[in-house]
Structures are given as structure tokens and as C-alpha cells.
């Protein structure tokens, strides 16, 4: 019976360790945007201006709804940092909503990407009042 001896330089690597995986900023932004929207008390993502432009883009055929609105990610090789801009519903505890958003986003991004989330900065840009209308432009065509 023969025995194979490997030197440290010739040890075969597992298939999963052969190669490199990179994750684009936009992928992390989509995951974070969807995870943030799942939190009760988050009315919308982005500032008023970005939501207005987004509403126009959503109406253009092929424009699609942007799940990355209000999300900015910086992705490194093993870590990521996120900035989120949210609009909360009137009456919710903003600190609790921000904590829940942070927890949900970190869990989703780390689970799906394997990246370590080092920080999630949240800016609350507005509060949606119950009687306030949405900031969507009037359709030009009837």
C-alpha cells in the first residue's frame, strides 16, 4: 500500500477555496433596501426628492421600482458599511424603528453575502403623517 505525502506547498485545496467571489455594491444595496422595507414603521426609503424622481422612473415603461432608493453601500473584500435614508410612519418610536432596521439589515446582508457589516448609519429624513398625500407627480396621460 502506498501513502501519499504532501508538502505544505502542494496540499490540494478544497474546490470551494479555489477562486474569488466579489459582491457588487448594488447587490448589497438591494438586500439592505428590501430588509429595511420589511420593518414595521418604515414608510419609504430615500429623501423627498429621490422619492419624487423614483416615482417618475417607476411610471416609465421598463423603469421598474428601485429597491436601492435611499441605500448606499461601500463593499470591501470581507466587510461592508451601509448608509440608509428612511421615512417613518407618524406615531412610531423612531429609535425602535432604527434599531429594528439595523438588526434586520445586518442579519440579511451577513446571511446572504457572508460579508461582515461594520456599520449601518440611518438618517430619518421625514415622518409620514396619516393625512399626508404621497409625493408622486400627477400622471400626464389620462
Amino acid at each position: 500500500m502506498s501513502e501519499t505525502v504532501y508538502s505544505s506547498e502542494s496540499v490540494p485545496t478544497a474546490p470551494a477555496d479555489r477562486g474569488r467571489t466579489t459582491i457588487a455594491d448594488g447587490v448589497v444595496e438591494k438586500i439592505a433596501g428590501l430588509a429595511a422595507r420589511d420593518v414595521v414603521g418604515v414608510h419609504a426609503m430615500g429623501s423627498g426628492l429621490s422619492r419624487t424622481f423614483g416615482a417618475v422612473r417607476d411610471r416609465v415603461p421598463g423603469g421598474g421600482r428601485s429597491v436601492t432608493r435611499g441605500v448606499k453601500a461601500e463593499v470591501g473584500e470581507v466587510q461592508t458599511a451601509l448608509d440608509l435614508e428612511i421615512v417613518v410612519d407618524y406615531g412610531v418610536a423612531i429609535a425602535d424603528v432604527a434599531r429594528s432596521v439595523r438588526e434586520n439589515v445586518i442579519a440579511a446582508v451577513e446571511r446572504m453575502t457572508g460579508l461582515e457589516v461594520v456599520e449601518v448609519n440611518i438618517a430619518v429624513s421625514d415622518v409620514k403623517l396619516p393625512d399626508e398625500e404621497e409625493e408622486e407627480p400627477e400622471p400626464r396621460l389620462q
Side-chain angles (χ1 to χ4, degrees), residues 53-120:
F53 284 133
V56 171
R57 185 177 52 244
D58 293 348
R59 292 172 189 243
V60 174
R65 183 171 173 253
S66 176
V67 295
T68 61
R69 185 181 314 139
V71 183
K72 178 69 179 127
E74 292 180 37
V75 179
E77 288 187 27
V78 295
Q79 295 179 325
T80 186
L82 294 152
D83 294 320
L84 298 149
E85 190 170 1
I86 65 172
V87 176
V88 297
D89 291 320
Y90 176 80
V92 300
I94 294 174
D96 293 343
V97 171
R99 186 179 308 102
S100 295
V101 166
R102 197 170 277 114
E103 290 171 353
N104 209 34
V105 166
I106 290 171
V109 170
E110 288 185 346
R111 180 180 53 82
M112 293 182 70
T113 66
L115 296 168
E116 176 191 7
V117 178
V118 293
E119 66 181 7
V120 177

Side-chain angles (χ1 to χ4, degrees), residues 36-47:
R37 284 174 176 78
D38 283 345
V39 174
V40 174
V42 174
H43 178 76
M45 301 287 296
S47 66

